[in-house]
Amino acid sequence: MEIAPPELENVFWRFSLAVYGATGVEEECLLLQEKYGVDVNLLLFCAWVGTQRDLVLSPADIAGADAVVQEWRQNIVRPLRSVRRALKPVERGTGGLRTRVKAIEL
């Protein structure tokens, strides 16, 4: 199955950037990711659906959304996250490579 690249100019992406950029949200999301394995984009999707579409997703809806992004997360996001983490101890002198990898991961 070939994964289509996400369309980044959409209301969900703009919502995600605004929420994730709010004070303290990035840190809390990353804590949930590290401690519980939460997919931050899926978490933001649930928040978007609830706040912007006035819908409550069922566990089956969330599982379905998770299944849609599973291959992308496994093949793209997790490897990028591993690279970003590996660069953390040597961040100085990399010309901002870790920051660029983080941006791509997001």
Side-chain angles (χ1 to χ4, degrees):
M1 176 177 171
E2 188 171 321
I3 301 172
E7 174 55 52
L8 297 182
E9 289 303 318
N10 61 64
V11 293
F12 167 61
W13 182 245
R14 289 188 294 275
F15 171 87
S16 294
L17 291 176
V19 170
Y20 195 78
T23 303
V25 173
E26 177 181 359
E27 294 80 11
E28 291 297 323
C29 285
L30 293 177
L31 179 65
L32 290 170
Q33 176 182 284
E34 293 299 318
K35 192 168 184 178
Y36 300 106
V38 170
D39 182 311
V40 174
N41 284 319
L42 186 57
L43 177 65
L44 291 169
F45 175 71
C46 292
W48 176 71
V49 168
T51 61
Q52 305 301 302
R53 299 292 186 241
D54 199 27
L55 297 171
V56 176
L57 296 174
S58 70
D61 294 330
I62 296 168
D66 185 59
V68 168
V69 299
Q70 182 178 5
E71 190 173 346
W72 179 264
R73 181 176 50 239
Q74 185 67 31
N75 295 328
I76 306 298
V77 175
R78 286 187 179 150
L80 284 171
R81 186 175 301 142
S82 293
V83 168
R84 176 179 50 82
R85 287 178 178 156
L87 288 170
K88 190 170 189 173
V90 294
E91 187 168 6
R92 294 182 69 135
T94 64
L97 178 60
R98 183 174 179 270
T99 300
R100 292 193 311 267
V101 170
K102 181 181 177 183
I104 294 168
E105 179 187 338
L106 293 173

